Amino acid sequence: MKKLLFMFGIGLLAFSCNSKPDKEDPELRAQATTACEKAALQTSMSDQKKTLVKEYCGCATDKMLGEFTYTEMLQMNKPSPELQERLTKLVDPCLKELKTKSAEIGE
């Protein structure tokens, strides 16, 4: 009986890892946005540039939460070439907007 419950638990875990997260989950959104900001923000940036980077991270988070499964999101620190390509295509509009706005403020 214990073995059956254990296998059922493993099955549920595997199923949930291959599902997409709830795009409206505020905790998950905050975690993803914070991770992006930690990776992208630099102390030497102007306040305007920091604001633009935060906007970029919000845009990228919105796109990622709608596209990637939990398992794929866990792999974002060291993505496979295929995952990196999907991510790049997905956040490209966000990146273009960041570059355009950065140019407008002269950074």
Side-chain angles (χ1 to χ4, degrees):
M1 181 68 166
K2 287 182 182 180
K3 191 173 185 178
L4 180 61
L5 288 176
F6 177 74
M7 294 305 289
F8 179 72
I10 295 295
L12 284 177
L13 180 61
F15 176 74
S16 67
C17 288
N18 288 322
S19 64
K20 291 184 181 178
D22 178 9
K23 289 173 53 170
E24 305 305 319
D25 182 342
E27 185 176 328
L28 181 60
R29 179 176 299 284
Q31 288 174 352
T33 302
T34 299
C36 175
E37 290 174 2
K38 281 184 179 182
L41 289 173
Q42 299 172 5
T43 56
S44 61
M45 290 179 174
S46 69
D47 288 342
Q48 286 179 310
K49 182 72 173 206
K50 287 178 183 178
T51 298
L52 294 179
V53 169
K54 289 179 181 184
E55 288 175 9
Y56 164 80
C57 287
C59 177
T61 297
D62 287 343
K63 295 197 179 290
M64 285 177 54
L65 289 180
E67 176 67 22
F68 297 105
T69 65
Y70 285 110
T71 302
E72 291 170 327
M73 290 182 72
L74 291 172
Q75 297 170 358
M76 288 299 172
N77 286 335
K78 293 186 179 185
S80 67
E82 182 267 335
L83 189 59
Q84 181 65 45
E85 183 180 333
R86 284 178 50 213
L87 177 62
T88 301
K89 285 180 183 177
L90 192 67
V91 300
D92 189 52
C94 303
L95 187 57
K96 285 181 181 176
E97 184 175 342
L98 173 64
K99 288 179 181 180
T100 299
K101 288 182 177 181
S102 292
E104 289 172 3
I105 64 169
E107 292 191 37

